[in-house]
Amino acid sequence: VVGYPGLALSKVSQEEANRALKSAHEGGINYFDVAPAYGDAEVKMGIAMQGMKRDDIFLACKTKQRDAAGARAELERSLVRLKTDHFDLYQLHVMASAADVKQAFGPGGVMETLVKARDEGKVRWLGFSAHTKEAALELLSRFKFDTVMYPVNFVEHYTHKFDPEVLSLCRREGAAVIEI
């Protein structure tokens, strides 16, 4: 399965974004990933997706916010920018440290917002992108996430010590792996 990386839209005009998303969708791509951290990519993607049948698209978004209030505001703004009423997948973005995990699960943490948003139907599945093995393992031990976005390649394995242990735990826990 190949997904469309919304980050690419931050570097092109709206017209190019429209052509790129239409071409990708017509070519069979239905997984579209974006985040508020990607500049104006959400706005461009929302415009470019107009006319596409929402049920034919798997829309994934992420938040770097670690507190409930900030995450809620960002989630709602992303829904407006992307011209949708729900995300198929919503993820904690760039989880890298023990402090990130502690804050996310602490009182008033982002996980409160994510679980509520899922209960409200604004989000179907919950996941995270991890940028350290330690953060990934700690997150998986605290919550039954549906997806884990994780670096899976030879260079990352040897450069940053990303370990197959995370992938094994994902398999055991039934979490889908989205390769970075």
Side-chain angles (χ1 to χ4, degrees):
V1 175
V2 176
Y4 191 93
L7 177 60
L9 299 178
S10 67
K11 311 257 190 267
V12 300
S13 69
Q14 184 64 59
E15 294 77 25
E16 290 172 290
N18 295 348
R19 282 193 302 274
L21 259 71
K22 181 179 180 186
S23 176
H25 190 250
E26 288 174 353
I29 292 177
N30 67 346
Y31 179 97
F32 294 90
D33 174 88
V34 72
Y38 299 164
D40 62 354
E42 287 182 311
V43 173
K44 288 177 181 170
M45 185 177 283
I47 293 168
M49 288 173 52
Q50 294 299 289
M52 293 181 191
K53 187 176 174 190
R54 179 63 179 89
D55 290 344
D56 292 343
I57 295 168
F58 188 99
L59 185 56
C61 196
K62 306 185 263 300
T63 183
K64 284 186 175 181
Q65 298 296 315
R66 301 298 184 243
D67 66 292
R72 175 57 80 168
E74 194 164 69
L75 170 77
E76 297 295 341
R77 187 179 69 225
S78 293
L79 288 168
V80 170
R81 288 177 173 178
L82 288 152
K83 303 178 186 314
T84 188
D85 63 350
H86 74 281
F87 291 110
D88 298 292
L89 173 63
Y90 203 74
Q91 303 162 95
L92 300 170
H93 195 186
V94 190
M95 297 297 285
S97 69
D100 285 335
V101 176
K102 184 177 179 180
Q103 186 177 7
F105 283 93
V110 62
M111 285 306 296
E112 291 177 12
T113 291
L114 270 60
V115 171
K116 283 181 188 173
R118 183 181 62 189
D119 293 345
E120 296 165 355
K122 292 185 177 192
V123 173
R124 291 179 64 194
W125 291 292
L126 299 176
F128 65 86
S129 69
H131 291 262
T132 66
K133 170 186 160 182
E134 293 74 23
L137 294 174
E138 181 64 21
L139 285 159
L140 286 165
S141 76
R142 288 180 176 244
F143 188 83
K144 185 147 179 64
F145 286 97
D146 300 299
T147 67
V148 175
M149 185 177 273
Y150 196 70
V152 182
N153 63 61
F154 180 81
V155 173
E156 291 290 340
H157 176 75
Y158 286 100
T159 304
H160 299 291
K161 307 298 184 231
F162 289 111
D163 195 274
E165 184 180 355
V166 172
L167 301 179
S168 294
L169 184 55
C170 289
R171 210 171 292 116
R172 279 196 311 274
E173 294 295 318
V177 175
I178 303 167
E179 297 178 15
I180 297 176

